[in-house]
């Protein structure tokens, strides 16, 4: 493999984007500029550079649009429930458990981890954010800390082991030439260590921001969470209180039955069956739409024809506001992956800038157990920068097999690389991953969420890597 000038430019712009993020500045400009320059140099035509900018954003928008939709439908449902007053009524029982912000933080962590372990975080996030996060915020937990709990527990700790679904360990093990169960078992233990470290650090860093349940700032957070102003729609039903009670029971019951059905299909169909990931999110989204139709009709009767349009429009507007800046960033990192660069550069044999760069340094990696483990962790983190988390697993798995020595085995290295890739791109510390869904539902800046997660997550990963070397 020969590195071209375009490869070096891609590495340069990647570092520029990372440093820009560290200094808390926007990275849309260097992302767009990098896409243009790299495509221009690689194709040798400035026209191709202009075309690549558009194609990169189009590809990114297409890949991320499922997240737009699930945000839109779930927020539209929440808005319709607020019209009925069912949103507050629905979470009153949960508030009895979430008696303060401290307990709420750990309740969010546990529930998110369990659900995400079965179905991946994609379908878990709308469930958690619709039902538990509002109750947690009312108990005094700041919305940012709630988002951190969901991201770290779901998209970090649960997804990085993928112990139930086992897509991730299968990819790692196949490339490493070992049995899947070997990687899965190690990844589960290491993910719990990384998760416990990150969760504890996040709590210690921001515990002083937790408020009492009577603090007026809780309502301010709820405004951001609900994403709209106060309800100004007229109810056309004479039984508003009755419908409010009905939907305060029907909505959580429906979502609970969704979870039960997904668990049933998982155990009935085995590891390769069931609804998880995108299918699970689609199932939840479809149920949310039907509930939206019913609640809007109950509130507005014939005027539901207009009300539901407003709810859907408000949902889309918010989704695009929350996720719009992420699209050009994702487009740049998609350019580094062979899975997408062909569409962006309109080529049948596309380059893989990011992975080519990582493979180029493979020969310089050390043979010491600790240094080898740290090296494969860093490579996993780099491959996770594409916002997927899974696309780099074949590479880290292959590297694990090549770096095995008497001091550390292949499955441990593969599990470390898996954690680095998925914690990063799965994701907890890159804004162009599915982390934007959490930020969108919580009404916060995804870049702010990345910055808050950065130190706890990276500390957790490096601590876990050191522990793995001496534990296994």
């Amino acid at each position: 493999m020969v590195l071209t000038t375009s490869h070096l430019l891609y590495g340069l712009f990647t570092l520029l984007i990372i440093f820009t993020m560290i200094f808390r500045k926007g990275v849309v400009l260097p992302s767009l500029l990098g896409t243009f320059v790299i495509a221009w140099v690689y194709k040798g035509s400035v026209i191709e550079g202009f075309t690549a900018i558009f194609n990169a954003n189009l590809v990114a928008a297409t890949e991320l649009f499922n997240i737009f939709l699930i945000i839109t439908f779930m927020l539209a449902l929440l808005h319709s429930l607020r019209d009925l007053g069912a949103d507050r009524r629905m979470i009153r029982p949960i508030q009895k458990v979430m008696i303060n912000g401290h307990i709420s933080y750990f309740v969010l962590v546990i529930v998110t981890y369990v659900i995400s372990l079965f179905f991946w975080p994609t379908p878990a996030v709308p469930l958690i954010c619709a039902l538990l996060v509002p109750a947690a915020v009312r108990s005094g937990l700041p919305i940012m800390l709630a988002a951190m709990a969901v991201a770290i527990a779901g998209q970090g700790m649960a997804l990085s082991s993928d112990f139930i679904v086992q897509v991730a360990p299968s990819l790692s093990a196949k490339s490493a030439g070992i049995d899947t169960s070997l990687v899965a078992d190690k990844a589960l233990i290491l993910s719990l260590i990384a998760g416990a470290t990150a969760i504890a650090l996040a709590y210690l860093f921001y515990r002083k921001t937790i408020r009492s349940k009577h603090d007026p700032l809780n309502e301010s957070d709820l405004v951001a969470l609900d994403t709209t102003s106060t309800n100004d729609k007229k109810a056309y039903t004479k039984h508003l209180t009755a419908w409010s009670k009905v939907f305060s029971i029907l909505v959580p019951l429906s979502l609970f039955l969704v979870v039960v059905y997904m668990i049933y299909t998982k155990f009935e169909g085995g590891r390769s069956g069931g609804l998880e990931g995108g299918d699970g999110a689609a199932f939840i989204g479809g149920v949310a739409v039907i509930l939206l139709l019913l609640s809007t009709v109950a509130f507005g009767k014939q005027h539901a024809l207009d009300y539901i349009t407003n709810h859907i429009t408000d949902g889309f507007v918010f989704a695009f506001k929350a996720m719009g800046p992420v699209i050009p960033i994702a487009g740049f990192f998609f350019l580094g992956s062979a899975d997408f660069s062909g569409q962006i550069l309109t080529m049948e044999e596309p380059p893989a800038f990011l992975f080519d760069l990582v493979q180029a340094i493979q020969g310089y990696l050390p043979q010491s157990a600790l240094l080898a483990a740290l090296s494969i962790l860093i490579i996993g983190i780099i491959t996770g920068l594409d916002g997927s988390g899974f696309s780099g697993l074949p590479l880290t798995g292959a590297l694990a097999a090549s770096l095995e020595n008497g001091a550390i085995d292949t499955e441990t290295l593969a599990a470390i690389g898996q954690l680095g890739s998925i914690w990063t791109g799965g994701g907890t510390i890159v804004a162009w991953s599915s982390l934007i869904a959490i930020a969108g539902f919580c009404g916060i800046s995804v870049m702010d969420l990345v910055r808050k997660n950065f130190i706890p997550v990276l500390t957790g990963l490096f601590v876990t890597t050191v522990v793995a070397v001496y534990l296994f």
Side-chain angles (χ1 to χ4, degrees), residues 326-344:
V326 175
I327 290 176
I329 305 171
F332 172 82
F333 284 95
F334 284 176
L335 180 62
S337 170
D339 294 335
F340 303 105
S341 60
Q343 301 175 60
I344 296 172

Side-chain angles (χ1 to χ4, degrees), residues 14 28 37 105 115 123-124 126 147 171 232 299 302 334 342 344 358 378 418 463 466:
T14 299
V28 171
V37 171
Y105 176 78
I115 296 178
L171 288 172
D232 58 356
F299 177 77
Q302 72 273 18
F334 284 176
I344 296 172
V358 172
I378 293 170
Q418 179 176 305
V463 167
V466 174

Side-chain angles (χ1 to χ4, degrees), residues 59 84 95 101 175-176 246 261 275 298 321 345 389 399 403 423 428:
V59 169
L84 290 167
Q95 286 179 312
S175 300
V246 167
Y261 178 74
L275 291 169
K321 280 185 177 180
L345 298 173
L399 285 175
L403 291 174
W423 273 86
T428 59

Side-chain angles (χ1 to χ4, degrees), residues 329-464:
I329 305 171
F332 172 82
F333 284 95
F334 284 176
L335 180 62
S337 170
D339 294 335
F340 303 105
S341 60
Q343 301 175 60
I344 296 172
L345 298 173
T346 60
M347 298 177 63
E348 293 184 1
E349 297 183 2
F353 297 119
L354 184 60
F355 298 125
D356 287 348
L357 286 170
V358 172
Q359 286 181 312
I361 65 172
Q362 178 179 351
Y364 301 98
L365 297 179
Q367 296 303 309
S368 161
L370 179 59
L371 293 178
L374 291 173
S375 297
I376 204 165
L377 172 67
I378 293 170
I379 288 174
I381 291 172
I382 293 172
T383 59
L385 290 175
D386 68 347
S388 164
F390 285 79
S391 58
L393 297 183
L395 175 59
T396 56
L399 285 175
S402 66
L403 291 174
E404 178 189 13
N405 56 60
I408 191 165
D409 54 39
T410 301
E411 53 265 32
T412 301
L413 289 172
I416 291 171
Q418 179 176 305
L419 260 66
S421 182
I422 294 179
W423 273 86
T424 303
T428 59
I429 55 174
V430 293
W432 46 95
S433 66
S434 54
L435 186 66
I436 50 181
I438 297 176
F441 281 117
C442 293
I444 58 176
S445 165
V446 66
M447 296 305 297
D448 287 343
L449 181 55
V450 166
R451 295 183 190 108
K452 297 287 187 181
N453 284 340
F454 194 78
I455 293 178
V457 167
L458 285 186
T459 303
L461 288 175
F462 280 100
V463 167
T464 301

Side-chain angles (χ1 to χ4, degrees), residues 19 72 308:
F19 281 116
T72 296
I308 195 168

